[in-house]
């Protein structure tokens, strides 16, 4: 079994710390958003809490306001990016079967094309 990712070595924590470059589209006290390095849609942005939370499965009652702000920020960025009127997709993969590859909670904001349902 691999070791659980620690905040010290977490890829997205290192982006938050400015140790790894990213194209940042939103930055506030609690939340960072940046463009996905391998976009799967014309607009593909990752919205993350700055504090290390491994996935949605690790959210607590205490982090409910943070989780709310994550979604609200994603919706606001969608407006700023000009994809809100046509619609877009918000996805957060959880765990191995959910397709999560980076163990730091992130919401994918994807737009600029149509999406099918269910996803593969
Ligand atoms: P997931 O597979 O849901 O955990 O999503 C992780 C996402 O992070 C993928 O869409 C990757 O393309 C993206 N990603 C990985 N490394 C970077 C990076 N250095 N900068 C921006 N996005 C990244």
């Amino acid at each position: 079994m691999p070791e659980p990712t620690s905040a010290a070595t977490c890829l997205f924590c290192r982006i938050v710390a400015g140790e790894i470059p990213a194209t940042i589209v939103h930055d506030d006290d609690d939340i960072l958003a940046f463009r996905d390095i391998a976009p799967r849609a014309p607009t593909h942005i990752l919205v993350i809490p700055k504090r290390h939370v491994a996935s949605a499965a690790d959210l607590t009652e205490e982090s409910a306001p943070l989780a709310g702000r994550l979604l609200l920020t994603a919706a606001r960025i969608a407006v700023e990016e000009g994809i809100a009127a046509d619609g877009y997709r918000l996805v957060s993969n959880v765990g191995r079967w959910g397709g999560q590859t980076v163990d730091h909670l992130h919401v994918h904001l994807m737009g600029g094309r149509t999406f099918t349902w269910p996803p593969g």
Side-chain angles (χ1 to χ4, degrees), residues 9-115:
T9 57
C10 167
L11 174 64
F12 287 176
C13 284
R14 295 188 67 199
I15 288 177
V16 170
E19 295 170 7
I20 293 176
T23 304
I24 291 167
V25 299
H26 176 92
D27 186 354
D28 67 35
D29 286 350
D30 302 312
I31 293 170
L32 191 73
F34 50 91
R35 297 198 188 277
D36 197 292
I37 203 167
R40 301 302 183 100
T43 299
H44 188 171
I45 290 165
L46 302 173
V47 188
I48 72 167
K50 287 187 169 177
R51 176 163 70 81
H52 185 81
V53 178
S55 79
D58 297 278
L59 288 167
T60 61
E61 196 63 37
E62 184 196 36
S63 50
L66 180 65
R69 280 204 295 281
L70 213 55
L71 283 180
L72 187 57
T73 302
R76 285 179 175 159
I77 294 170
V79 173
E80 290 165 9
E81 292 284 320
I83 58 173
D86 286 333
Y88 52 90
R89 180 159 289 176
L90 298 178
V91 180
S92 191
N93 297 323
V94 179
R96 191 163 55 93
W97 277 32
Q100 184 175 9
T101 59
V102 177
D103 289 337
H104 182 128
L105 173 62
H106 49 283
V107 173
H108 295 258
L109 164 60
M110 306 167 80
R113 66 170 173 87
T114 56
F115 295 90

